[in-house]
Amino acid sequence: MSTVLAFQLQTWNFFFRELVSGLAVGSLYALIALGYTMVYGVLKLLNFAHGDVYMVGAYIGFFVLNALGSPLSPVMPIVPLILLAFAASMVGCGLLGVVVERFAYRPLRNAPRIAPLISAIGVSFFLQQTAVLLWSPNPRSYDTFSLHPGSSGIGELFHTAFTIGNFSIQYVQLVVILSTIALMIGLSLFVWKTRTGKAMRAVSFDAEASSMMGIDVDRVITVTFLIGSALAGAAGVMTGLIYQQLNPYMGFGAGLKAFTAAVVGGIGNIGGAVLGGLLIGLTETFTVGYLSSQFSDLILYSILVVFMLFRSTGIRGAPVLQKV
Amino acid sequence: MSTESPSQQPATSPQIGVDEWVQRSGERIAGPGGLLRLADRTPPVLLLAAFIGIACAVPLLTSNGYVIGVDADTLLYVLLAIGLNVAVGWAGILDLGYVVFYGFAAYLFAELSSAHYDIHWATWQTVPLVVAATVLLGFVLALPSRRLNGDYLAIVMLFFLQMFNNFTTNGYAWNWLGLSGSHDVTGGPTGVTNIDPFRIFGHVMGPGPRDYVFVTAAGIFVVAILFHYVNRSRTGRAWRALREDPLAAEMMGIPVKWLSLLAVAVGAGVAGFAGSVNGAYYQGVFPDTFMFPLLITVYAMVILGGAGSLGGVVFGAVVVNVLLEILRTPDHARWVFYAAMILGLLAKLRPWRLLGALVAGVAVFGVVAHEIVGAVWARGVGGPIATGPTSFTTHGFWATLIRHWMVLPKNTYTAEDYRIGNYAFVIVIVLVLACTALKGWKRWALLVPTIWGACFVWETVLIEQNPVVRPLFLGVILIVLMATRPAGLFGKTRVEIV
């Protein structure tokens, strides 16, 4: 075992592969973490169901790809097909997020703080079990696409984009990292340049004061859920493309890690969430690669506990002062 | 605000300085009515004695092993719910790591009294040791509460649950992360089996649930009396202060951090005892038991009964576990489903003529739908009724009734026809949500297809799917309770002052 470890340590190839896949996984966590951080910003609510919205997104993408481009004979070229899957998943998840907010969280605006959190846990469990009911608990795979890398279908995604020395990057990893960057830039523009984005920042700063200033707080919250959940939907499709495996339980662990990413980056802070996501993605990949794959969860969550304990205000977040 | 408020204020003249809270003060002073008041007035000791008496009478009255088993399981859940209530109900800490304590205790008991390490300690040695170790673990895992609170603390506790699950599932090859040789700690996915039963004063308990009913009931008796006095003690009052406002409590000189640790650790102690009983009773511990679904189950119990109320929590545990047990057999589950629907309507629909109109509407809607579907798509009707005795599913009054009222596609339970039920399931969820959003006559009109649709989904999909229906039911309990009655059935309604 230890000789293998030493061998791996010496291999830069392995390191680079881990680095890139860590960045790709980190991008996924970053996208999910954005939803957590935005919702926590405006509502001070840990939206536990967010991870399961992401799971639903992965399934929507799966069904779109399966319906329009059955593995070996897609009815349309690959780029529009993937874009379509992204669009369908983002719209579906956005709507799902809005519905969840409207029916599970809005009635609890003035309830004790523990109530929405418990409701969120209930929604999460409900979505998970609904997925088990509708789509069976067995994992589905996007895997059939990559079985035939020579075909003109989606297998193309898994071709090598370019190589550096012995080391190669796949198209799918590039797609994931680049589209995360694009979505992030879009989100930043939205938050900093539009009126709604400004309203969102105001609500996140002080909801009561901004409602007195004539901001429709409920509308801002709806928009926040719409955008956050749409980003989770995009992350779901990307997960399908990278891992090629979905199951109804995938949202739980990813949600926990992404929430930690949001906290580590400073809750309410968009750039911080991305940074936290990348950090946790890299930590996870290197843990699995170098330390232990069997006990990766044990190690990773211990690291996350330490993160939470010592950086609960985040890398970039300002220390929070409690007002009375 | 509410037109039916009992304080007889004319709704047209709002008084200055009188909001809903002030307006309903009379109602609060009078206290709850009916059964709730009866429960409030009866001395708690009597209630406890009655509960223990009924629980212990079951194995004496029946020899049906299944019923006694359910009784023992329920008592174990009651114990768990009482333990969780300390942190969640009294101290207001969302202890999402609670199942870790239960699992840790079960595993520790298993390893100290089985062939796994070939240790066979006596019960009077293991149980106190396990409880003490679990309390210690409670103190350790609650340490993050010194730096974190609220949601962050809850999520860190959930991390501990994930770590525990990872460790127990893969613990058959524990090698200190590569520092030593591989060695079997937890038995991995197959767990630890052949655990010694309890031996008390030379009497070997079990096998079978009968003796463990008495053990668990004795445990509940002791713990409940202890907690009844703890709740009224200085510590109990301090916990409640901590729950209502940690900052103000700290200002008053209450040692908030110590009390948080204590609340989690005391709860862990109860889970420690329950875990030992679990190990001895089932004679095996498995990693799949101590996972997130169990956590949700115990939370649903505590919250349904009313977090913070000892009696309520016990009630919640009994109701939830018995219902989950009934849902296991499709034949009984059907009765639960229709009874729940009728009870819900009886409780919520007030003018009786409205209820009558609704029932008539649902009946007519069903018959019409049956006729239309039969005319358009013959295969859509005349399928088999899912389960039950033949007098129920093939002929007889109920079968005729369902046949003429419900649309039952043929081959309902083959894979391709599941889709109909799945689409219907999604549509029914949308209808239910729409019903909660609409007001007035539109809501009542929409309720008709919603009820019929729910029955359709029930008859075609859910009745055969109890492994999914049971957790779905728990999720629904949490969501619906939070939206309608966050304090639970027996909890005191709290007002959060901001």
Side-chain angles (χ1 to χ4, degrees), chain B residues 50 218 260 291 307 314:
Chain B
S260 309
M291 287 190 171
V314 172

Side-chain angles (χ1 to χ4, degrees), chain B residues 270-414:
Chain B
V270 179
F273 178 69
S276 320
V277 176
N278 173 302
Y281 164 29
Y282 298 112
Q283 296 181 7
V285 288
F286 309 98
D288 291 352
T289 317
F290 308 104
M291 287 190 171
F292 193 61
L294 179 66
L295 185 75
I296 295 285
T297 314
V298 184
Y299 265 84
M301 289 166 173
V302 168
I303 284 160
L304 179 76
S309 143
L310 215 47
V313 163
V314 172
F315 178 80
V318 173
V319 167
V320 170
N321 192 47
V322 169
L323 277 182
L324 285 180
E325 209 47 58
I326 296 176
L327 284 177
R328 227 185 257 278
T329 15
D331 191 18
H332 300 157
R334 174 181 275 131
W335 293 110
V336 173
F337 175 78
Y338 289 110
M341 188 164 275
I342 290 168
L343 278 180
L345 290 179
L346 280 177
K348 280 287 164 197
L349 275 181
R350 229 346 73 116
W352 294 110
R353 54 194 154 79
L354 190 59
L355 183 63
L358 194 74
V359 170
V362 172
V364 171
F365 185 91
V367 172
V368 171
H370 178 92
E371 291 304 320
I372 292 176
V373 171
V376 176
W377 182 48
R379 209 166 69 80
V381 293
I385 299 177
T387 51
T390 46
S391 65
F392 187 92
T393 52
T394 56
H395 49 85
F397 176 68
W398 292 108
T400 321
L401 204 67
I402 291 189
R403 251 176 224 304
H404 286 91
W405 176 66
M406 182 48 60
V407 173
L408 293 166
K410 267 187 190 152
N411 310 325
T412 313
Y413 305 105
T414 58

Side-chain angles (χ1 to χ4, degrees), chain A residues 21-96:
Chain A
S21 76
L23 284 178
V25 174
S27 313
L28 298 179
Y29 288 154
L31 280 179
I32 309 173
L34 286 173
Y36 277 112
T37 214
M38 287 163 65
V39 167
Y40 206 96
V42 295
L43 264 188
K44 302 290 172 287
L45 163 73
L46 197 182
N47 179 14
F48 214 89
H50 194 64
D52 296 274
V53 170
Y54 148 81
M55 175 270 295
V56 172
Y59 271 94
I60 295 178
F62 170 79
F63 285 122
V64 169
L65 288 184
N66 249 10
L68 290 177
S70 68
L72 295 176
S73 54
V75 295
M76 55 167 85
I78 180 159
V79 174
L81 181 61
I82 300 272
L83 284 180
L84 191 68
F86 269 110
S89 171
M90 288 173 80
V91 170
C93 287
L95 291 181
L96 181 63

Side-chain angles (χ1 to χ4, degrees), chain A residues 18 23 54 68 98 104 148 162 194 199 205 207-208 243 260 265 281 286:
Chain A
E18 293 293 290
L23 284 178
Y54 148 81
L68 290 177
V98 170
H148 298 265
F162 55 82
T194 62
F205 190 74
E208 208 173 338
Y243 289 119
T260 313
F286 283 123

Side-chain angles (χ1 to χ4, degrees), chain A residues 103 108 117 260 294 298 309, chain B residues 147 159 166 170 172 433 482:
Chain A
F103 290 99
L108 303 178
L117 182 56
T260 313
Q294 258 183 340
L298 191 66
L309 283 180
Chain B
R147 293 184 69 102
F159 288 169
N166 185 232
N170 292 322
Y172 58 88
L433 294 181
M482 283 303 117

